Amino acid sequence: MTISKLNWGFLGTGWIADFCARDLDFTNISKYGVTARDFNKAEEFAKSHGFKKSYVDFEAMLTDPEIHAVYIATLNQVHFEHALAALGAGKHVLLEKPFTINARQSKELIEFAKEKNLFLMEAMWVNHLPAQQAIENILAQGMIGEIQTASADLSLYQLEQDGYGRMWHVSSGGGTLLDLGIYPLHFVYRLLGKMPISITATAQLTGLAGSADRVDEDVSATLQFESRKTGIIHSRMSATGRNIATILGSKGRIELPREWWQATSFTVLNHVNKVIFEYHQPIDGSGRQFQFLEAERCIEAGFIESPNMSLEDTLSVMESMDEIRRQIGVKYQWD
């Protein structure tokens, strides 16, 4: 079937869906429909963001033939079932991170999307930012030589009493790794390789020892890759960190500033700390529109996955998060 205009439906009206809806105003992407657990919220969201329709529930949106692609921005523990339902209804899917709770769910989802010949991509928006593409161009030019180490921290003050309750409980797929640590993981994987040779992880868990409701409040991991490359990640959800990232090479380094995951600038230095290149390129909004543009580009080209954010990349990160959770002792009911 030829689609003259790709119509998007949003499932979920939380803060991340709000950012995405605003960012799409910088594109000509069609914001067609939205649904949520609360119809009143869906209706309000549709009006405030210029969506054409709001639906009483997810099933109603999925049965609308005018919806071609679905962006899923619901809670972690229901990503799998919502994506499965959307694919089953013949819709292309852009699925918020974490893609699923574990690698087993991810594999099932990926296999189903391939079987249905539908596009599926994790909404790891950072990988589509112009700054990320510029970094990869710098690396390809050999400006800092061979990459040796990549490190990144993402630590934010997200307490339960401040509205982040879902992150603090096992029943909602909580913990800092799946929500925050996934960003540093994707960062080092993209730079160092598809799968590490070894992972060594440590963590501080919430609650009292012996409690069944403990998740990772703080997690660190060192990942060893081939060719003696090292990835170092850290995240914490009860303190705000420096939140910087660094790439070390045999001839120099790249420094990404505070809040590196949404950077519009970075600096390249040599071994005597001389700046040899600076990148500054403002973008419209938060930059989440670029992942939608990539999804549309791929769908229009007949691709079922993005070469810039492959399903193999997503699965590799999910498998590593499973291993980190195994080492630190965080287990969900879906494992």
Side-chain angles (χ1 to χ4, degrees):
M1 178 180 66
T2 301
I3 300 170
S4 58
K5 182 67 176 177
L6 200 65
N7 290 329
W8 283 87
F10 273 40
L11 172 58
T13 56
W15 70 267
I16 198 163
D18 182 72
F19 266 107
C20 287
R22 292 180 188 278
D23 286 347
L24 290 187
D25 288 338
F26 300 109
T27 74
N28 63 353
I29 287 175
S30 171
K31 296 188 289 185
Y32 191 85
V34 61
T35 187
R37 288 178 296 178
D38 184 334
F39 176 67
N40 291 328
K41 287 185 177 180
E43 197 169 36
E44 180 182 339
F45 190 93
K47 289 178 180 177
S48 64
H49 290 294
F51 283 76
K52 294 179 181 178
K53 295 179 68 174
S54 52
Y55 300 86
V56 23
D57 56 30
F58 190 32
E59 184 178 356
M61 185 168 77
L62 292 184
T63 56
D64 186 344
E66 294 302 314
I67 294 288
H68 308 123
V70 176
Y71 165 63
I72 297 172
T74 49
L75 297 177
N76 295 354
Q77 71 271 25
V78 289
H79 282 185
F80 173 71
E81 64 180 83
H82 285 156
L84 205 63
L87 292 167
K91 313 299 184 184
H92 303 290
V93 172
L94 177 62
L95 179 58
E96 258 309 328
K97 56 84 198 158
F99 195 65
T100 57
I101 289 291
N102 54 39
R104 178 188 58 78
Q105 288 184 335
S106 293
K107 288 177 183 176
E108 187 173 338
L109 207 56
I110 290 168
E111 288 171 3
F112 189 56
K114 290 179 178 178
E115 177 186 320
K116 300 287 287 185
N117 197 36
L118 291 166
F119 179 82
L120 174 64
M121 185 174 80
E122 181 180 8
M124 180 48 65
W125 57 287
V126 178
N127 290 353
H128 306 282
L129 293 176
Q132 180 65 38
Q133 305 305 311
I135 287 170
E136 291 173 15
N137 288 337
I138 292 292
L139 295 173
Q141 293 169 24
M143 195 174 292
I144 66 166
E146 184 179 353
I147 302 176
Q148 298 175 333
T149 303
S151 60
D153 173 54
L154 204 172
S155 298
L156 299 175
Y157 195 61
Q158 298 188 329
L159 304 185
E160 182 168 15
Q161 59 265 35
D162 293 332
Y164 296 95
R166 65 179 182 80
M167 294 179 65
W168 292 80
H169 298 284
V170 170
S171 60
S172 51
T176 187
L177 178 64
L178 265 63
D179 268 270
L180 302 180
I182 189 172
Y183 284 93
L185 262 179
H186 267 287
F187 179 75
V188 301
Y189 267 71
R190 193 169 181 90
L191 297 168
L192 304 181
K194 297 292 185 184
M195 183 60 68
I197 297 168
S198 66
I199 299 175
T200 304
T202 59
Q204 294 179 16
L205 305 186
T206 59
L208 300 173
S211 169
D213 190 18
R214 302 188 80 195
V215 295
D216 48 299
E217 181 177 338
D218 180 286
V219 65
S220 299
T222 300
L223 302 91
Q224 298 295 337
F225 292 81
E226 292 182 353
S227 303
R228 301 176 66 244
K229 296 177 181 178
T230 303
I232 303 168
I233 69 153
H234 173 258
S235 66
R236 188 177 186 96
M237 60 186 187
S238 58
T240 301
R242 291 185 67 201
N243 292 329
I244 61 174
T246 307
I247 306 166
L248 303 182
S250 58
K251 295 181 180 179
R253 70 183 186 275
I254 299 175
E255 293 184 347
L256 282 77
R258 180 172 176 76
E259 298 189 351
W260 59 268
W261 56 90
Q262 52 189 5
T264 56
S265 66
F266 62 83
T267 304
V268 184
L269 304 96
N270 63 16
H271 281 322
V272 293
N273 288 319
K274 179 182 178 182
V275 175
I276 56 176
F277 181 82
E278 289 185 285
Y279 174 90
H280 297 281
Q281 186 63 57
I283 59 174
D284 293 322
S286 74
R288 286 173 172 82
Q289 67 271 28
F290 296 109
Q291 62 186 345
F292 284 86
L293 292 169
E294 171 67 4
E296 286 216 344
R297 183 188 73 82
C298 291
I299 292 168
E300 289 171 2
F303 300 160
I304 61 171
E305 63 179 300
S306 164
N308 190 49
M309 182 66 238
S310 73
L311 295 173
E312 181 185 2
D313 293 339
T314 289
L315 185 56
S316 294
V317 168
M318 291 304 309
E319 288 173 344
S320 289
M321 290 201 295
D322 283 0
E323 173 58 20
I324 290 171
R325 287 197 297 108
R326 185 193 68 78
Q327 290 187 24
I328 66 177
V330 173
K331 189 178 180 65
Y332 302 122
Q333 68 189 68
W334 306 276
D335 292 332

